[in-house]
């Protein structure tokens, strides 16, 4: 509808505008004037000092941070695999190899083996240095929270040290304290033994002692924090977290996709089909009611009926946000994932149930049927007899499935196959091609002298 301002007396203008808006609504759905987010601004990202980033890079890739010196952050968050491992559920200490080739350790398990699979699918590390990302993990169990004097709610509660500035930095001192991910079994190393006395503090102290004993690290800490550190005795776990967080914020910033270029004004950046998908996504398909904004997330928690495989966070299942909030209404709610570089981060969902992007998108269109007819054989779970026995306990339990079904809170849109195809084209356009291979972030060696390579 068009109208010529000059023909209407001005007192009628407000009414005419209201009518114009009402008339425009049906026309906008799926077509031209869908409201798109503003582009991400450079000033909204962290810009840590290069010396801090460099220290963080060494720490991120150094197996010295794990109890048995066999796992680094990059073992799971591999920069050559888009900061994930391509497994449905990770295999931590005791596994061998990288990504989908990783094995699940020996059976019968030895002391060094992972106690279990992890609980959840890897969350990628893209854009976590943007100011929006204040809640982390699938359940947001690390988040900015002014209710705590330290400024963050974390599993350490009141024992979190003071002085942490960002949720990402707080999170970066927790993988080291996770027995399955990095610490290893008590009885096998001093960090794991310390975790028996206090789940975090002993491990943090032990880790700082390890790093302080490596002269090259001491120099790097002094360079990174000259005002605070002049020798090994000044290093704290807060410096460790700040450095690792700073590295991730810097290395995994990923806001140069075709979609970003489109938002910044390059109207030729996206293919016509991807543009159609974008308009559906932010319009008629209502994806953006949860996957909101420039990073496709409202940073909130929703239950969408994802089938449960693996041991879960609360074996044999996973209650999601409820574990953090204590509110039964939050059961099976998980954080809306950002969809940046999503085509690169298979498998998808909080436990990696879906091994095709189309599969997880279509799940949203009919979650109940998808849940009831789900095919668990698509999961990517390196086999081990005792672990396999746990993988389908929740999936095969009709009571659990019924409870997951009852919690579904998505209002499925009605989309044609063609429209689903456009949405998938849009997701391609969310790829920043530098993310396909972030090998340039990998150092050639680390101060501990431990090997970097996972490929064997
Ligand atoms: C054994 C595999 C493994 C290792 C090793 C590991 N992580 Fe993770 N990481 C995961 C998994 C799985 C998740 C998601 C867990 C969840 O949400 O409950 C995750 C989540 C994260 C997140 C949250 C991202 C988000 O958007 O919420 C960050 C940041 C992170 N890891 C950083 C690190 C750092 C830093 C290290 C090393 C100190 C590390 N990880 C070591 C498996 C691993
Ligand atoms: C009601 C909120 C909601 C709506 C609407 C919604 N999603 Fe999701 N989406 C989620 C949540 C929450 C998850 C993670 C759920 C889980 O794993 O338990 C998710 C997961 C995904 C994933 C997997 C991402 C990953 O990294 O694992 C994709 C892809 C996705 N959604 C695309 C879409 C598309 C396309 C639409 C529109 C057709 C849409 N979503 C609508 C909440 C929503």
């Amino acid at each position: 509808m068009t109208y010529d301002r000059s023909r209407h007396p001005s007192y009628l203008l407000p009414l005419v505008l209201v009518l114009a808006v009402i008339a425009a609504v049906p026309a906008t759905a799926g077509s031209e004037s869908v409201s798109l987010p503003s582009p991400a601004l450079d000033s909204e990202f962290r810009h840590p000092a290069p010396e801090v980033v460099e220290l963080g890079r060494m720490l991120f890739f150094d197996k010295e941070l794990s109890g048995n010196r066999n796992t680094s952050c990059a073992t799971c968050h591999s920069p050559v695999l888009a900061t994930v491992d391509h497994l449905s559920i990770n295999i931590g200490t005791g596994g061998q190899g990288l990504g989908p080739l990783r094995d699940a350790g020996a059976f019968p398990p030895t002391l060094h083996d992972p106690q279990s699979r992890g609980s959840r699918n890897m969350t990628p590390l893209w854009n976590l240095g943007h100011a929006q990302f204040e809640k982390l993990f699938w359940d947001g169990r690390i988040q900015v929270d002014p209710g705590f004097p330290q400024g963050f709610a974390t599993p350490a509660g009141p024992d979190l040290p003071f002085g942490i500035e960002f949720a990402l930095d707080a999170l970066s001192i927790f993988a080291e304290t996770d027995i399955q991910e990095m610490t290893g079994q008590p009885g096998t190393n001093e960090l794991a033994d310390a975790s028996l006395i206090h789940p975090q503090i002993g491990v943090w102290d032990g880790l700082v002692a390890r790093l302080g004993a490596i002269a090259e690290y001491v120099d790097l800490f002094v360079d990174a924090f000259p005002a605070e550190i002049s020798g090994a005795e000044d290093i704290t776990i807060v410096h460790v977290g700040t450095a690792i967080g700073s590295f991730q914020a810097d290395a995994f910033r990923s806001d140069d996709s075709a979609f970003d270029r489109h938002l910044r004004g390059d109207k030729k950046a996206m293919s016509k089909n991807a543009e159609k998908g974008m308009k559906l996504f932010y319009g008629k398909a209502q994806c953006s009611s949860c996957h909101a904004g420039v990073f496709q997330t409202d940073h909130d928690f929703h239950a969408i009926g994802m089938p449960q495989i693996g041991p879960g966070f609360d074996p044999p299942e996973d209650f999601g946000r409820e574990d953090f909030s204590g509110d039964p209404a939050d059961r099976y709610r998980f954080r809306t994932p950002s969809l940046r570089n999503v085509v690169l981060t298979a498998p998808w969902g909080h436990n990696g149930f879906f091994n095709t992007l189309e599969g997880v998108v279509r799940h949203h269109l009919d979650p109940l049927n998808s849940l009831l007819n789900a095919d668990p054989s698509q999961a990517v779970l390196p086999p081990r007899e005792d672990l396999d026995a746990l993988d389908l306990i929740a999936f095969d339990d009709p009571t659990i499935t019924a409870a997951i079904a009852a919690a579904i809170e998505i209002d499925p849109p009605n989309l044609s196959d063609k429209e689903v195809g456009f949405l998938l084209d849009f997701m391609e356009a969310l790829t920043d091609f530098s993310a396909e291979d972030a090998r340039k972030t990998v150092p050639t060696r680390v101060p501990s002298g431990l090997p970097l390579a996972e490929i064997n």
Side-chain angles (χ1 to χ4, degrees):
M1 166 176 178
T2 56
Y3 73 97
D4 177 358
R5 258 167 207 251
S6 61
R7 289 207 200 136
H8 298 281
S10 60
Y11 65 87
L12 277 181
L13 199 56
L15 177 65
V16 171
L17 281 176
V18 168
L19 290 176
V21 169
I22 293 170
V25 169
T28 54
S31 79
E32 289 314 310
S33 49
V34 166
S35 122
L36 294 176
S38 316
L41 299 178
D42 184 54
S43 59
E44 294 161 350
F45 286 90
R46 284 167 68 175
H47 295 277
E51 295 80 6
V52 183
V53 171
E54 185 56 17
L55 168 62
R57 180 196 322 277
M58 295 301 156
L59 295 169
F60 188 87
F61 286 95
D62 202 333
K63 295 178 179 175
E64 187 74 12
L65 274 69
S66 63
N68 290 315
R69 296 185 169 87
N70 56 6
T71 315
S72 72
C73 308
T75 300
C76 295
H77 298 282
S78 169
V80 291
L81 301 176
T83 72
V84 296
D85 59 1
H86 292 332
L87 299 174
S88 293
I89 298 171
N90 72 84
I91 293 286
T93 65
Q96 296 274 325
L98 180 69
L101 299 179
R102 194 163 176 79
D103 69 28
F107 183 77
T110 67
L111 259 188
H112 285 268
D113 279 333
Q115 230 177 2
S116 64
R117 297 193 194 287
S119 310
R120 293 181 179 154
N121 185 242
M122 307 275 308
T123 38
L125 304 179
W126 310 116
N127 296 311
L128 300 180
H130 187 278
Q132 272 191 21
F133 290 87
E134 295 195 329
K135 293 178 188 158
L136 297 172
F137 283 136
W138 280 105
D139 51 12
R141 70 186 177 281
I142 292 200
Q143 65 173 59
V144 171
D145 185 343
F148 285 81
Q150 293 92 334
F152 302 94
T154 71
D159 295 332
L160 187 75
F162 283 83
I164 295 174
E165 213 180 325
F166 299 99
L168 177 57
D169 303 0
L171 187 148
S172 297
I173 58 174
F174 279 89
E176 298 90 328
T177 66
D178 188 309
I179 286 183
Q180 180 267 337
E181 287 189 3
M182 291 183 85
T183 327
Q185 298 301 316
T188 64
N189 67 78
E190 88 285 9
L191 300 185
D193 291 347
S195 76
L196 293 179
I197 298 162
H198 185 287
Q200 290 98 20
I201 293 177
V203 185
W204 289 333
D205 290 347
L207 194 54
V208 166
R210 274 193 187 186
L211 297 172
I214 300 174
E216 197 179 332
Y217 265 125
V218 178
D219 290 345
L220 287 167
F221 274 98
V222 172
D223 287 349
F225 303 100
E228 294 165 33
I229 302 181
S230 53
E233 63 286 357
D234 301 324
I235 300 172
T236 69
I237 196 69
V238 173
H239 298 119
V240 174
T242 304
I244 304 180
S246 299
F247 165 68
Q248 296 167 88
D250 180 80
F252 306 128
R253 176 171 168 181
S254 195
D255 62 331
D256 188 26
S257 65
F259 172 65
D260 293 296
R261 292 197 292 275
H262 177 93
L263 293 183
R264 291 180 181 130
D266 176 358
K267 297 302 173 209
K268 294 212 171 80
M270 283 169 70
S271 72
K272 285 280 158 264
N273 286 352
E275 256 188 72
K276 285 183 194 159
M278 174 180 70
K279 285 175 182 156
L280 285 164
F281 190 94
Y282 287 99
K284 172 185 153 187
Q286 291 175 18
C287 309
S288 63
S289 64
C290 301
H291 297 278
V294 69
F295 296 115
Q296 296 81 42
T297 171
D298 55 1
H299 303 281
D300 210 342
F301 304 85
H302 306 275
I304 68 163
M306 208 50 96
Q308 173 67 46
I309 44 156
F313 208 77
D314 312 274
E317 56 176 331
D318 194 335
F319 294 154
R321 181 68 171 171
E322 182 189 359
D323 283 334
F324 175 85
S325 69
D327 181 353
D330 282 336
R331 184 164 298 186
Y332 308 125
R333 284 187 176 147
F334 292 87
R335 191 178 115 215
T336 310
S338 165
L339 300 182
R340 292 318 192 96
N341 299 320
V342 70
V343 297
L344 305 177
T345 60
W348 296 274
H350 72 263
N351 56 24
F353 187 91
F354 287 99
N355 204 18
T356 68
L357 191 58
E358 180 169 356
V360 73
V361 169
R362 284 194 183 277
H363 171 83
H364 290 69
L365 308 183
D366 191 356
L368 183 60
N369 271 317
S370 168
L371 171 65
L372 298 179
N373 300 305
D375 169 15
S377 70
Q378 63 188 298
V380 189
L381 297 168
R384 196 176 94 186
E385 212 171 302
D386 54 333
L387 303 183
D388 299 349
L390 306 173
D391 288 338
L392 295 180
I393 291 182
F395 185 85
D396 288 337
D397 183 334
T399 320
I400 293 178
T401 305
I404 296 175
I408 294 174
E409 52 193 348
I410 196 167
D411 191 10
N414 211 341
L415 299 177
S416 68
D417 289 351
K418 223 171 166 180
E419 288 172 320
V420 172
F422 295 148
L423 284 173
L424 294 171
D425 290 332
F426 171 53
M427 275 171 232
E428 285 282 348
L430 294 171
T431 314
D432 179 333
F433 286 101
S434 69
E436 277 191 355
D437 184 353
R439 212 170 307 192
K440 64 176 186 306
T441 65
V442 184
T444 49
R445 57 176 289 283
V446 285
S448 67
L450 290 167
L452 282 166
E454 292 305 333
I455 299 161
N456 57 2

